Amino acid sequence: MSNNSSNKTAVPEAKSAMNRFKFEVANELGVPLTDGYNGNLTSRQNGSVGGYMVKKMIEAQEKQMSGNMGNMNAGSMGTSKF
Protein backbone atom coordinates (compact mmCIF):
# COMPACT_ATOMS: atom_id res chain seq x y z
CA MET A 1 0.00 0.00 0.00
CA SER A 2 1.44 3.40 -0.93
CA ASN A 3 1.54 6.25 1.53
CA ASN A 4 -0.48 8.98 -0.18
CA SER A 5 -1.52 10.71 3.02
CA SER A 6 -3.52 13.89 2.61
CA ASN A 7 -2.53 14.95 6.13
CA LYS A 8 -0.36 17.97 5.54
CA THR A 9 0.92 20.22 8.30
CA ALA A 10 -0.32 23.76 7.68
CA VAL A 11 2.98 25.11 9.03
CA PRO A 12 5.75 22.76 7.84
CA GLU A 13 8.12 24.07 10.52
CA ALA A 14 5.74 22.68 13.18
CA LYS A 15 5.79 19.12 11.86
CA SER A 16 8.32 17.76 14.36
CA ALA A 17 6.61 19.52 17.28
CA MET A 18 3.24 18.07 16.24
CA ASN A 19 4.80 14.61 15.99
CA ARG A 20 6.24 14.92 19.51
CA PHE A 21 2.85 16.16 20.74
CA LYS A 22 1.15 13.13 19.15
CA PHE A 23 3.48 10.72 20.97
CA GLU A 24 3.03 12.63 24.25
CA VAL A 25 -0.76 12.36 23.97
CA ALA A 26 -0.59 8.67 22.99
CA ASN A 27 1.57 8.02 26.03
CA GLU A 28 -0.88 9.88 28.31
CA LEU A 29 -3.75 7.79 26.94
CA GLY A 30 -1.83 4.52 27.10
CA VAL A 31 -1.97 3.99 23.34
CA PRO A 32 1.10 2.02 22.19
CA LEU A 33 1.92 4.30 19.25
CA THR A 34 5.20 3.58 17.48
CA ASP A 35 7.22 5.50 14.95
CA GLY A 36 6.21 4.04 11.60
CA TYR A 37 3.45 1.54 10.88
CA ASN A 38 0.62 1.42 13.45
CA GLY A 39 -1.85 -0.78 11.60
CA ASN A 40 -2.14 -2.98 14.66
CA LEU A 41 -3.98 -0.19 16.52
CA THR A 42 -7.75 0.09 16.42
CA SER A 43 -9.60 3.01 14.91
CA ARG A 44 -10.76 3.86 18.42
CA GLN A 45 -7.17 4.05 19.69
CA ASN A 46 -6.01 6.20 16.79
CA GLY A 47 -9.09 8.40 17.00
CA SER A 48 -8.63 8.93 20.72
CA VAL A 49 -5.13 10.28 20.12
CA GLY A 50 -6.28 12.70 17.42
CA GLY A 51 -9.35 13.76 19.35
CA TYR A 52 -7.42 14.43 22.54
CA MET A 53 -4.80 16.38 20.59
CA VAL A 54 -7.55 18.64 19.24
CA LYS A 55 -9.07 19.03 22.71
CA LYS A 56 -5.72 20.08 24.20
CA MET A 57 -5.01 22.50 21.33
CA ILE A 58 -8.43 24.13 21.74
CA GLU A 59 -7.91 24.46 25.51
CA ALA A 60 -4.50 26.08 24.95
CA GLN A 61 -5.95 28.51 22.40
CA GLU A 62 -8.85 29.41 24.70
CA LYS A 63 -6.41 30.13 27.54
CA GLN A 64 -4.29 32.27 25.24
CA MET A 65 -7.32 34.16 23.96
CA SER A 66 -8.75 34.76 27.41
CA GLY A 67 -5.40 36.11 28.57
CA ASN A 68 -5.19 38.44 25.59
CA MET A 69 -8.78 39.60 25.95
CA GLY A 70 -8.25 40.29 29.65
CA ASN A 71 -5.55 42.82 28.75
CA MET A 72 -7.83 44.82 26.46
CA ASN A 73 -9.95 47.64 27.79
CA ALA A 74 -13.56 48.10 26.66
CA GLY A 75 -12.65 51.05 24.43
CA SER A 76 -10.23 49.06 22.31
CA MET A 77 -12.63 46.17 21.64
CA GLY A 78 -14.19 47.88 18.65
CA THR A 79 -10.89 48.72 16.98
CA SER A 80 -8.99 45.48 17.46
CA LYS A 81 -8.64 43.16 14.52
CA PHE A 82 -8.65 39.37 14.94
Side-chain angles (χ1 to χ4, degrees):
M1 177 180 244
S2 65
N3 187 7
N4 292 329
S5 177
S6 64
N7 293 334
K8 303 270 190 249
T9 305
V11 180
E13 297 82 6
K15 186 173 179 102
S16 65
M18 289 297 291
N19 203 37
R20 285 190 309 273
F21 181 47
K22 176 175 62 175
F23 280 95
E24 175 187 317
V25 167
N27 187 44
E28 284 181 35
L29 296 175
V31 175
L33 192 65
T34 60
D35 193 22
Y37 180 73
N38 284 288
N40 56 317
L41 300 178
T42 66
S43 296
R44 183 179 190 134
Q45 287 173 308
N46 285 315
S48 68
V49 172
Y52 197 65
M53 286 176 69
V54 171
K55 179 180 178 183
K56 288 183 80 163
M57 287 186 280
I58 290 171
E59 287 173 355
Q61 184 63 33
E62 286 175 342
K63 285 179 186 176
Q64 182 182 11
M65 291 172 68
S66 67
N68 290 341
M69 294 299 287
N71 294 333
M72 292 183 174
N73 63 36
S76 67
M77 291 295 284
T79 59
S80 63
K81 295 183 181 179
F82 296 111

